[in-house]
């Protein structure tokens, strides 16, 4: 079951990749998403999924954590080395350590099993809206005013296209990383606490350890230093939080 189960997308249909070794869950979720206007691609193991996600990226991916050969955490870690694709984790009820690690590795959201199809669809649409992967989600209008670009020194952020550059060089960020950076860059020099950054990056019903923000900041710094080894734009005020200094 490693092939798309619906036709490839028309002009507005968004593609959702589902990765789970439970074929019943794959089928049930796929049918529900197709009813909402999405196209789905189904994969039963992480190794096959990783190759497909990199070669032909969907608009969003949903990973189960507990899988043979390559679990969801390893799949995410290897994907994040090369892609900022939005990712939702499916976790068990007692999977809090996995949830925290998944968010720290760059997941954009998680949903605990068992879950309602309505909740999953709402989370997918929220992430697509946040990342602006889609100007018009299934059944929704597309005439909303697009946000203005943010320019701070050598940094330029385009929320409408989810693009970030530093000195004109592209920096690939996940949705969560983008929102954290945007919260800092819109008010340069102002120290934002971890709680404030969590509020900017996550919806109200997601609870993460504040150290998860530290992990995201480390990933942001690493990504910017890949294009500028002297990057020092994100500053730490120990005990208080972080600020953007344009440096």
């Amino acid at each position: 079951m490693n092939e798309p189960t619906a036709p490839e997308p028309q002009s507005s249909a968004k593609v959702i990749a589902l990765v789970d070794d439970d074929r019943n869950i794959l089928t049930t979720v796929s049918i529900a998403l197709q009813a909402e206007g999405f196209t789905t691609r189904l994969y039963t193991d992480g190794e096959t999924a990783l190759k497909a996600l990199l070669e032909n990226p969907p608009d969003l991916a949903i990973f189960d954590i507990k899988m043979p050969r390559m679990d969801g955490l390893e799949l995410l870690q290897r994907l994040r080395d090369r892609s900022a694709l939005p990712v939702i984790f499916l976790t068990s009820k007692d999977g809090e350590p996995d949830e925290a690690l998944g968010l720290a590795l760059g997941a954009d959201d998680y949903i605990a099993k068992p879950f309602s199809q309505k909740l999953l669809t709402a989370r997918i649409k929220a992430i697509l809206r946040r990342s602006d992967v889609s100007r018009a989600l299934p059944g929704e209008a597309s005439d909303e005013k697009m946000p203005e670009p943010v320019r701070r020194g050598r940094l330029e952020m385009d929320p409408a296209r989810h693009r970030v550059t530093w000195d004109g060089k592209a920096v690939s960020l996940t949705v969560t990383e983008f929102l954290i950076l945007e919260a800092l860059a819109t008010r340069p020099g102002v120290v934002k606490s971890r709680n404030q950054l969590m509020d900017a990056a996550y919806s109200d019903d997601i609870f993460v350890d504040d150290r998860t923000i530290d992990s995201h900041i480390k990933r942001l710094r690493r990504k910017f230093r890949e294009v500028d080894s002297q990057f020092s734009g994100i500053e730490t005020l120990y005990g208080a939080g972080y600020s953007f200094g344009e440096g």
Side-chain angles (χ1 to χ4, degrees), residues 73-190:
L73 293 171
E74 182 182 354
L75 174 58
L76 176 65
Q77 189 170 27
R78 293 177 63 178
L79 180 69
R80 280 291 172 257
D81 290 337
R82 300 168 62 184
S83 172
L85 175 72
V87 170
I88 295 176
F89 262 139
L90 298 182
T91 71
S92 60
K93 276 188 173 181
D94 57 352
E96 289 185 7
D98 289 338
E99 292 163 3
L101 181 54
L103 292 170
L105 289 173
D108 296 289
D109 202 346
Y110 67 84
I111 297 178
K113 297 178 181 178
F115 56 88
S116 71
Q117 303 296 344
K118 183 176 180 180
L119 172 63
L120 178 61
T121 300
R123 294 287 184 86
I124 290 170
K125 290 184 177 181
I127 290 177
L128 290 177
R129 188 180 300 112
R130 283 162 55 199
S131 63
D132 198 44
V133 172
S134 170
R135 294 272 182 111
L137 298 171
E140 297 185 358
S142 60
D143 56 356
E144 294 183 5
K145 183 179 179 182
M146 302 309 293
E148 295 294 325
V150 176
R151 297 180 179 87
R152 297 289 184 269
R154 290 178 282 171
L155 174 71
E156 183 166 343
M157 304 183 70
D158 186 349
R161 294 173 178 81
H162 193 75
R163 292 177 182 169
V164 177
T165 61
W166 180 262
D167 271 345
K169 299 175 183 177
V171 182
S172 178
L173 302 182
T174 67
V175 176
T176 303
E177 291 163 354
F178 188 99
L179 292 172
I180 290 173
L181 180 62
E182 185 178 37
L184 293 171
T186 51
R187 299 193 66 189
V190 175

